[in-house]
Amino acid sequence: MKKYLFLFTIGPVQSFIAQARKTHDLWAGSKILSDLIEYAIYALEEKVKTCKIIFPHKEIKSKPNRFIAIIESDDPKGIGMDIENMVKDQLKKLSFDIVKKYANFDISEIFLEQIENFLEIYWVILPYEESSYAELYEKIESYLGSIKNIRRFRQNSLDCVESYRKCSVCGQREALFYRKSDKKPRNISFQAQEINEFRLNQGESLCGICFIKRFYKTKSSSFSSTAKIASLSWVEKLTQVEIKEYKDFFKNFDEELFFDENLRKEHLIKYDHYKDDENLEKAKKYLNNLYKKYGVPSKYYAIVMLDGDSMGKWLSGEFLSDKSHLRDFHLELSKKLGEYTDKTKEIIEGKGKLVYAGGDDVLSFVNIDHLLFVMKNLRDFFPKFEEIKNVKNRNKSSASMGVAIAHYKTPLSEVIKWARKMEKEAKEDKKDKKDAFAIAVLKRSGEIHKIKYKWYLNGKSTVDIIKSIVKSIINKKFSNTFTKVLADELRRFKYDVNEKFIKSECKRLLKRASNPNGVSLKSNEIGELSDKLLYLFVESYSLQNFISTLNIINFLSKEVGELNDN
């Protein structure tokens, strides 16, 4: 039997994951693709006992949407087609199981077509020779790119009636499942089935694909809501007795009920939380007492996206002094990314909720009390590819991050869009020296502040500097009005702003703002804080970036309860 290099991918990735109204939709979109690629690897190993999986590492639980392997076969094309068909059958199986469990739904032709037409599977197989691995890898990636550029068009024969109601989540496919509010949704297909499940909002209509996402593994892994992420650090202050007593006032409790704005009868009825008027009144009084005792929880949370920089160049061997060792480099790289996945879970555990960690990329929900800690540690523990042998010209691995901070009621798809936009902006660098982070704060009022910085410059951590300034305000070393006054001044005097101006104004305004508790800061403390602000000014990409930094520092100092250091 001959040996072959086998590259296999499953999609669509971006649209499938990003089309989400609930956090569980986002998690399930990633989880389904990860589980399918894991199933594809398992199926390949069963069919070809001698196969060698090069990438990803088997220990990575959240698998990326692709794998590359070396196989032995007399019929490589048959192997590729078999794995493709097995993956499609696996999606059908899990889809049918979910429908039968939650919908008691006879599988319709439209549902079947939606499932069968959904996956985008591409694969390439090339004859393999040990000595030409690097050349073959370059070819196989090039061929895959060419195949993807020839987009396959499918005319859906059944799911094309424009008059029928479309899915509330994706807006593309015909809705086949719905939950009534006061009456049946308009223009819903006659084949659609009513589902009386709290996982569907009243009036929501879902296609087959989005229904599968909504109900995928719900029992074993109920994913945290945005309200739960936002209130996470506040809830940790409560006793278990207090949490239980408060939850008992409601049905189908959701962490949105930790925010008093939701304690309205119409809201509770709409989302199936309402018991009766007496319990509602008791809940209002109980929550008010919790606020007096523990303060008010922040209504903001963050979505964090991290992605390894220049991964295509690393994988192609461009940064290696000898490409003949590319296969060994891939194996070692795969191992390091697997170890990073485990570290990622450790970093985020208890501070938010990990959506996926696929090796070089991470997507997570994070409570804002823990945000700066999580950001710094995700970057600091990103694997050092230069420690693998054979890396040339002092090339070093790096990662860039996009962060979107938003109110828990902001549409999830909008927050995901901003997180991805910030990740893209972090990677934009004319000299291809990425290694940066970008943050956007989407305020409930509609105001947006965004910033971008390099992670480290001259040995100093930019995140640590921002964190120390926020901490000084939270600890009431000086008033947060300082940042607002300085930002207003910079807008007025933008043409005369330089380092000397910033340093003198920082010292002057800090001295004025350093007596909120009747204890003035010492001159050396004022000097240290002004130096940190000067550093942020010097390293800013623009004056507007620095002004936005002041606004974000002010925002965090108001919203963060207690900055997390571990």
Side-chain angles (χ1 to χ4, degrees), residues 361-376:
D361 59 344
V362 177
L363 172 60
S364 180
F365 292 89
V366 179
N367 177 270
I368 62 168
D369 282 18
H370 303 276
L371 175 61
L372 297 176
F373 169 87
V374 168
M375 287 176 62
K376 184 174 186 293

Side-chain angles (χ1 to χ4, degrees), residues 207-228:
C207 68
I209 293 296
C210 293
F211 181 82
I212 298 310
K213 280 204 296 183
R214 182 66 56 85
F215 287 85
Y216 189 62
K217 294 190 175 179
T218 51
K219 292 293 183 184
S220 61
S221 51
S222 180
F223 201 83
S224 303
S225 66
T226 54
K228 184 172 183 177

Side-chain angles (χ1 to χ4, degrees), residues 541-559:
Y541 288 82
S542 65
L543 178 60
Q544 183 55 51
N545 193 75
F546 181 64
I547 292 171
S548 291
T549 304
L550 294 171
N551 288 325
I552 288 178
I553 287 172
N554 189 34
F555 168 84
L556 289 174
S557 69
K558 291 178 180 178
E559 291 297 329

Side-chain angles (χ1 to χ4, degrees), residues 155-173:
Q155 174 63 57
N156 292 350
S157 58
L158 299 169
D159 190 16
C160 59
V161 182
E162 289 298 325
S163 60
Y164 283 151
R165 190 181 188 89
K166 298 299 180 186
C167 176
S168 302
V169 175
C170 69
Q172 297 172 347
R173 293 173 288 270

Side-chain angles (χ1 to χ4, degrees), residues 473-489:
I473 300 175
I474 291 173
N475 294 339
K476 302 190 181 303
K477 285 195 172 184
F478 62 87
S479 167
N480 62 3
T481 56
F482 154 77
T483 53
K484 185 177 185 304
V485 172
L486 181 57
D488 289 342
E489 283 193 359

Side-chain angles (χ1 to χ4, degrees), residues 37-56:
I37 206 75
E38 188 150 17
Y39 176 79
I41 292 172
Y42 165 79
L44 179 64
E45 289 177 328
E46 287 295 303
K47 287 189 74 68
V48 184
K49 298 295 184 181
T50 58
C51 79
K52 173 71 174 176
I53 305 298
I54 303 295
F55 188 89

